[in-house]
Amino acid sequence: MSHTADVGLKIWGESLEALFANAARALTAVMVDRRRLKGTISRQITVEAPDLEALLVAWLNHLLYLYDTEAFLGRDFIITSLTPERLEARAVGDTYDPTRHLSKTAVKAATYHRLAITQVPDGWQATVILDL
Amino acid sequence: MAQIKLRQVDEYRWEIPREGKMRTRGLIFASKEMLPKIHEDRSLEQVANVATLPGIEGPSMAMPDIHWGYGFPIGGVAAFNLEEGVVSPGGVGYDINCGVRLLRTNLERQAIADRIEELVNALFDNIPTGVGSRRKDLKLTVPTLKEVMRYGAAWAVKQGFGTTDDLAHIEAGGQIPGADPDLVSQFAMDRGKDQLGTLGSGNHFVEVGYVAEIYDEPLARALGLFPGQVTVIIHTGSRGLGHQVCDDFIKVMLKASAKYGIELPDRQLCSAPIRSPEGQQYLAAMAAAANFAFANRQMITHWVRESFEQVLKMGPRDLGLELIYDVAHNIAKIEKHVIDGKEKTVCVHRKGATRAFPPGHPEVPPAYRETGQPVLIPGDMGRYSFVLVGTQRALEETFGSTCHGAGRELSRAAAIKAAKGRRVVQEMAAKGIIVRGAGRDTIDEEISEAYKDVENVVNVTHGAGISKKVAKLKPLGVIKG
């Protein structure tokens, strides 16, 4: 999805769990060439938010936090528990290394601007705009 | 909201008449030629949305580099009174105090003509750039980080990164008062602790250039600029620390908006009354992040000076790498303005906009009391940038504000598509501009045609009288994040 200032992600998943996992994969793909990441380290993540949409923003922003603080980039995401207010997940990925990884664009944050999660006939769809 | 109506006021001004829930009118600075592009996105709707917020004073404005932001448009300016007015993190943006500074030199362009590549390489080696760039040599402890957030550029100078003379050439002296680092979350500090002195990614850059054209000789001389002179522009902000402060406070403000009954046409406009605890806490945390950004640009300035000394084997006195000025692009400021003949204290949000105070204003540093505050407008990496000064008209009409840059014209995806199959670095080199970047995409995203021609943008602000053209700068070498 095109947005002049930033990047808008349109994400689909057959379940809400898949939707959240796909959103995280899309975030990583904006930042680096995801295919070059190894699945050697993992992180256990819990985030909470007042509603499902805010939870999606909190989830993506927590992944940005792990990146800024530990250079951790998730490649695969296993959502172990999900309610509209709480998400528990395991992210499997790599430590960013400029000699091995192709850097793309830094993401400042996932925003609430035009944020939406809707149920569609074959699953769930979300729109989230990233501030770059 | 239905199609936004636009009424022409004069050659450079367009009005969105007050209607529906708007508390005031919208005022857009643009030329007729710019309008079709502006209509393509939803930025005019955002100007109208900002006009619905409580306590807004004067019109909800947008500068000619207006484009679609989130909540507030980029290029947006809005002031709110301290009685009923609100403060909104969306009116500042995620990159708190993203800004730009300009350095002069004693060097003429010819003197460094065959050293540019070496110079750009030295800058690239000395200043970490790119996605998640960090400094291995500078890890800050929490108490030190809090000092950075309290004292801003003054902290950096105290550590030996620059001189006190630099501080006299920075907006607000490089230190926004009222910063409270204790209101900055541990998450934000974690994100910022090894990012001080790094450029980051996206549209941030360090650019070596030269003075290509002078429009106003006496003003240029007063700013220390001469034709053919080598200059350096540094554009970056508060990195992960600022982004996290914004994210943390958007969560606070979403609750606050409901608590104080502020009706929001867009969640990203979430705000709190300026006088409320939430509003005061945001302003104090934002100031802390803004000070981190001032310190960041100050540290990078030091490494720019070192890189020049290292490559050109010259001392500081001969180089004359002095700071002309440093302006904030994304900030909310408590300022005094005359509104309807009465002086009022307001909170001016400038989101992708530059302060442009006139000659004689008490907040303009002594060096520029006669000229007005320098205004620095970077363009894209392939064309040019501008130096202007603030005017009385800006003070009276736009709360002392003007544009901040070219404004994107293509989305990043469209820019990458346009650059496909091209060798942008080689194209630039053929034009005499050496580019080094951390990633191919970040360079491709920044191709000239991704941006509006900054000259058109600057001509609107000059024509409208809200800033005055002094000089045009052209790039010789750029490091990109």
Side-chain angles (χ1 to χ4, degrees):
Chain A
M1 207 174 85
S2 196
H3 185 291
T4 359
D6 302 302
V7 156
L9 300 176
K10 207 163 224 171
I11 310 134
W12 177 84
E14 60 185 10
S15 63
L16 274 174
E17 284 79 5
L19 184 82
F20 273 66
N22 288 341
R25 284 193 191 98
L27 174 72
T28 304
V30 171
M31 296 163 75
V32 293
D33 185 344
R34 200 180 140 262
R35 293 165 300 183
R36 295 196 193 176
L37 296 176
K38 291 180 192 157
T40 45
I41 44 174
S42 79
R43 290 284 175 277
Q44 206 59 43
I45 300 163
T46 304
V47 283
E48 291 181 352
D51 59 58
L52 191 65
E53 290 176 343
L55 191 65
L56 179 61
V57 167
W59 160 237
L60 297 177
N61 284 336
H62 190 86
L63 294 169
L64 290 173
Y65 166 79
L66 288 180
Y67 180 69
D68 264 357
T69 52
E70 306 172 15
F72 173 78
L73 279 170
R75 191 188 68 186
D76 298 303
F77 303 87
I78 302 101
I79 312 294
T80 45
S81 159
L82 179 64
T83 71
E85 287 103 32
R86 187 184 162 91
L87 171 142
E88 287 174 32
R90 190 157 61 88
V92 180
D94 205 343
T95 304
Y96 175 69
D97 172 357
T99 62
R100 280 192 296 127
H101 299 131
L102 191 61
S103 136
K104 290 162 91 178
T105 305
V107 179
K108 287 173 189 153
T111 75
Y112 296 85
H113 177 58
R114 301 191 72 214
L115 172 69
I117 298 179
T118 47
Q119 196 156 15
V120 289
D122 53 351
W124 292 84
Q125 196 172 288
T127 306
V128 58
I129 290 174
L130 305 179
D131 184 18
L132 304 182
Chain B
M1 195 173 280
Q3 173 71 26
I4 299 288
K5 283 188 207 128
L6 216 51
R7 189 181 72 79
Q8 182 157 18
V9 179
D10 64 19
E11 194 181 349
Y12 301 110
R13 289 170 178 79
W14 306 78
E15 186 187 76
I16 302 174
R18 184 181 163 183
E19 62 176 47
K21 291 188 174 161
M22 289 169 72
R23 293 168 198 256
T24 182
R25 65 195 180 111
L27 179 64
I28 323 291
F29 291 83
S31 65
K32 198 169 186 173
E33 293 70 37
M34 289 174 171
L35 288 184
K37 202 76 208 173
I38 294 173
H39 274 294
E40 268 177 33
D41 64 27
R42 293 168 72 177
S43 51
L44 294 175
E45 186 182 318
Q46 295 186 321
V47 174
N49 286 345
V50 172
T52 68
L53 293 175
I56 186 162
E57 294 280 351
S60 163
M61 284 177 279
M63 297 297 135
D65 47 349
I66 176 175
H67 55 283
W68 197 15
Y70 24 88
F72 283 58
I74 293 163
V77 175
F80 298 87
N81 65 50
L82 299 191
E83 290 74 43
E84 309 111 44
V86 294
V87 59
S88 171
V92 172
Y94 280 91
D95 198 354
I96 294 167
N97 190 9
C98 173
V100 60
R101 56 167 57 189
L102 174 67
L103 304 168
R104 62 177 301 286
T105 68
N106 290 337
L107 306 168
E108 299 214 17
R109 186 186 167 196
Q110 292 77 5
I112 60 158
D114 53 357
R115 311 299 295 278
I116 289 290
E117 191 156 1
E118 216 182 319
L119 210 45
V120 170
N121 286 339
L123 291 169
F124 195 70
D125 289 343
N126 292 338
I127 303 162
T129 56
V131 173
S133 47
R134 57 191 70 231
R135 288 203 82 90
K136 293 197 175 71
D137 56 339
L138 195 79
K139 288 208 189 297
L140 302 180
T141 60
V142 168
T144 314
L145 191 52
K146 287 189 174 180
E147 279 196 29
V148 174
M149 291 190 277
R150 216 181 282 280
Y151 301 111
W155 175 86
V157 166
K158 202 173 156 200
Q159 306 302 310
F161 300 98
T163 66
T164 49
D165 193 48
D166 291 338
L167 302 178
H169 294 81
I170 305 176
E171 180 171 329
Q175 183 190 353
I176 308 278
D180 187 351
D182 292 335
L183 294 169
V184 171
S185 69
Q186 187 61 46
F187 280 104
M189 289 194 286
D190 290 345
R191 284 183 75 172
K193 71 180 189 324
D194 48 1
Q195 288 187 338
L196 190 67
T198 67
L199 197 57
S201 175
N203 61 349
H204 294 152
F205 63 84
V206 175
E207 179 179 292
V208 181
Y210 69 98
V211 179
E213 206 175 332
I214 295 223
Y215 304 100
D216 189 310
E217 179 61 41
L219 281 177
R221 209 172 324 119
L223 265 52
L225 293 170
F226 60 83
Q229 175 187 24
V230 173
T231 54
V232 182
I233 302 174
I234 299 166
H235 177 210
T236 188
S238 50
R239 311 283 288 107
L241 184 137
H243 312 161
Q244 187 69 42
V245 167
C246 180
D247 185 51
D248 289 342
F249 274 90
I250 281 177
K251 284 180 222 153
V252 171
M253 295 301 192
L254 283 169
K255 283 192 196 138
S257 302
K259 176 174 159 193
Y260 298 105
I262 303 167
E263 207 180 318
L264 300 175
D266 176 350
R267 265 211 277 189
Q268 197 79 33
L269 283 177
C270 58
S271 1
I274 297 168
R275 291 222 188 273
S276 69
E278 292 90 340
Q280 289 295 309
Q281 283 162 13
Y282 171 68
L283 282 168
M286 181 212 68
N291 288 341
F292 181 90
F294 279 134
N296 192 27
R297 290 196 287 276
Q298 185 62 35
M299 314 276 288
I300 291 176
T301 300
H302 175 77
W303 289 306
V304 166
R305 286 172 173 150
E306 275 196 348
S307 302
F308 269 71
E309 287 166 23
Q310 181 189 319
V311 171
L312 301 173
K313 309 272 184 291
M314 287 169 78
R317 197 169 299 223
D318 292 330
L319 282 172
L321 258 167
E322 291 160 8
L323 181 56
I324 291 185
Y325 206 54
D326 177 315
V327 295
H329 285 165
N330 288 354
I331 204 142
K333 281 271 192 68
I334 304 295
E335 293 171 355
K336 284 191 167 71
H337 288 277
V338 177
I339 300 158
D340 300 328
K342 267 189 266 170
E343 191 181 80
K344 277 192 185 176
T345 304
V346 288
C347 179
V348 184
H349 293 64
R350 294 191 185 90
K351 183 184 184 184
T354 304
R355 188 147 100 165
F357 280 178
H361 191 284
E363 285 198 51
V364 171
Y368 303 119
R369 282 285 153 80
E370 309 282 313
T371 59
Q373 170 224 304
V375 167
L376 317 166
I377 312 295
D380 58 82
M381 65 183 177
R383 283 182 280 194
Y384 27 65
S385 300
F386 287 86
V387 182
L388 299 90
V389 287
T391 63
Q392 187 61 29
R393 181 131 197 210
L395 188 68
E396 288 162 10
E397 196 178 353
T398 59
F399 300 101
S401 313
T402 191
C403 65
H404 90 303
R408 285 194 83 89
E409 193 152 275
L410 296 182
S411 70
R412 291 166 203 262
I416 290 175
K417 209 169 154 193
K420 211 175 167 84
R422 284 163 52 181
R423 294 153 70 100
V424 176
V425 171
Q426 283 83 346
E427 268 178 38
M428 297 286 288
K431 285 166 72 177
I433 306 163
I434 306 296
V435 179
R436 288 286 311 268
R440 183 179 170 149
D441 276 4
T442 49
I443 292 177
D444 287 358
E445 277 172 10
E446 299 292 312
I447 51 169
S448 293
E449 56 263 49
Y451 286 88
K452 291 182 196 167
D453 186 337
V454 72
E455 186 152 25
N456 296 337
V457 171
V458 160
N459 283 345
V460 170
T461 62
H462 178 83
I466 56 169
S467 40
K468 195 170 176 191
K469 269 159 71 171
V470 178
K472 180 193 262 186
L473 313 175
K474 282 194 173 174
L476 295 167
V478 190
I479 64 164
K480 301 288 301 178

